[in-house]
Amino acid sequence: MRFVLIGVGSMGDVMPQLRLAAELTSRGHRAVVVGLAPYAGLAAALGVEYAPIPADTAALWPEHPARRWLALAQPGVMFATMLRRLAGSASLVNDVIIERVAPGDVVVTGIVTAGATRLLGSHLGATVVPVLFAPLLPASSAASSALAPALGGSVAALMGSSFMWRLSEQLAEAHTSDMAKRLGTRSVRPLSRGPVLMATSPTLAPPSRCWPEQVRQTGWVTAAESTGHDSLDAELSDFLASGTSPVLMTFGTCPAVSPARDVELFLTAARAAGRRVVLQSDAVARGAVNDWVYNAPGAPHASLMPRVAAVVHHGGAGTTHAALECGRPAMVVPHLGDQGYYARRVHTLGAGPQGVPRWRLGAPLLARQLRALTVGESAQRFARGAARVASSLSTEDGCGATVAALEDISGA
């Protein structure tokens, strides 16, 4: 059976698809991942066939700092920016999809390309299976939907998440309309019928009775780096062993107004809290910054996180799961999207202090949170909470369950 997996967006959209493709390949299937060109190297490292879309992730966000700040700080401006940028690359994305999808294929898609691939699948006779890597469907509990408001009861959660879900479906509009014009057919709603896989951890995102019957929750697809063929370089290993366990500070590939300013904020707060630091940033040179700071962009989380005391991160789904799988307490600094949801869940599960949005964060506040995360009774409490979550996550096999579901749906 041939699978075409489509991950349009940031690394968090591509990495789960690469992991699924690697697992499908190991089971004797042929799998190709369609994603943005900058991530082709990740596929090559895993030995996964990759079809690059000639567009860069930077194209999703304004280059001018003031415009980027506005897009990141105001949800309405952010949504409008995403719609406009996605519309600008829709034809490029559909070109590659049309080139790669053939009759009889199984297409594994995210929400942005769900409508377009459904139309193409109907035209060619291919099976299309949408997979959500975040709990985006409406639910009556804020624990089960990243789109539900944090405050209010079940009615508010269901109404709020339903409204936000309708907005989220609009992210697929440009790709769907472009494909409809090419095929001479009518547009469709992306996920209005057929099976949908919710590849989210039931530990972090408990299932909801509000989800439609065709939804299957399969568990989080662990990042491809956890396959174990990556390791830390000798210089970083020496730094980790040379003193007290440092704090890892990373915002991943999350867009930032000024990465250099973020590094300065990190280091000022860490110095005030008396903590050694491992950074992951492209704003400073790789390697030892001084005797208490080391910059290790790209170091695999599965190898690095077990050797740090705690993690400060942006709340991306992959980074959140990686820290919790390693049993590391975390402070989440959400920037956008579902990151605020993961900040709440980490705190609710007892694995870290209350998250602070990036726009509110200053060095004094970050220093206080770092001390709470690493010193005294609060640190012990967060460490116990993170260990409990890690124990629960260790019983889940989201990648295997998702691949098994895909095989079941396709009859492979």
Side-chain angles (χ1 to χ4, degrees), residues 9 38 46 85 143 153 177 179 189 193 197 230 240 251 254 294 296 311 332 342 347 354 356 373 397:
L46 290 166
R85 300 286 172 152
S177 297
M179 187 67 75
R189 281 178 53 193
R193 65 176 185 269
L197 300 185
D230 285 313
L240 291 167
F251 283 168
C254 194
Y294 192 98
V311 185
V332 182
Y342 287 112
H347 179 58
Q354 189 167 2
V356 180
L373 192 61
D397 179 15

Side-chain angles (χ1 to χ4, degrees), residues 214-239:
Q214 72 266 26
V215 174
R216 300 191 202 181
Q217 187 176 26
T218 53
W220 172 249
V221 178
T222 300
E225 66 183 30
S226 66
T227 49
H229 51 69
D230 285 313
S231 60
L232 303 181
D233 61 59
E235 187 178 0
L236 174 56
S237 293
D238 289 344
F239 176 83

